[in-house]
Amino acid sequence: MSSRSMHSAPGMAAGADVLSPQTAQARDDVRRAMRRLRAGQPPDIAEARSLAAQRRMLGAPMWARARSVALYVGVRGELGTHVLLQAAWQTGKTVWLPRVRPEASGLMDFAPCSGPEHLRPGPMGLLEPLDSLPGVGPEMGKDAGHGAGHNAGHDAELPVFAPDIALLPGVAFDLAGGRLGYGGGYYDRFLEKGLNCPRVGLCFEFQLVESLPLAPWDQRVNYICTEERMLCL
């Protein structure tokens, strides 16, 4: 995915979102450092940390209360979500998962999935909702889910897209709730349109830093859950 410094940012006029070379370099440096740290984890340690973070999330009151959750399927060394996904499906929660639009750079939809059989490999190597499932895109804003979703030729009616919590991946998070993504702007565009439920950043403890070189379009989280702690920000 290309750097957001080369694209129009959510809610900003074209040309107003170009980062200074220093800020752009600092962001790239953080991404490279975090990728090295993730790649350097022994698989058994990464799995143990991932399980500990997911169990911490499962024990949170906001998870217990939630009837609808926005989640993701971990890939490329991200903190996994398989325990959370199975728990959500087994307890009857509505599970919304992202699916990128191959024809539209930087845009994705969330589609409701009721089990792993509704997933298939996506263009970026991660599991995504089947193409036959209607999805809700960021352009639908706060009215998302009240009508047919973004899915060519599909007229299915969606449940209301109003998750009680949204669990988000990221390259790094900071102690003020700042989130640095991979550079494509997929989540920033979605969050900017009013995903007003609690936003929880899921990450390994080493991905949590004191401060990040954020851009004006970077969207923040309200909570951070790692294998060591849950932070309310």
Side-chain angles (χ1 to χ4, degrees), residues 4-5 16-17 27 29 36-38 41 44 47 58 74 94 104-105 111 125 153 177 180 182 196 217 219 228 233:
R4 284 297 311 280
S5 62
D17 62 321
R27 291 160 68 83
D29 289 345
R36 284 196 299 270
L37 288 171
R38 288 197 327 199
Q41 292 190 100
D44 57 334
E47 178 66 12
L58 287 175
T94 299
S105 177
L180 182 64
Y182 293 93
N196 294 323
W217 55 78
Q219 297 293 306
E228 296 184 8
L233 306 168

Side-chain angles (χ1 to χ4, degrees), residues 99-109 120 123-124 128 131 135-139 149-153 186:
R99 178 181 61 213
V100 302
R101 298 184 193 173
E103 78 284 1
S105 177
L107 291 178
M108 68 180 184
D109 302 307
R120 48 84 174 156
M124 295 183 180
E128 297 184 342
D131 295 334
V136 171
E139 65 278 291
H150 177 275
N151 192 36
Y186 292 90

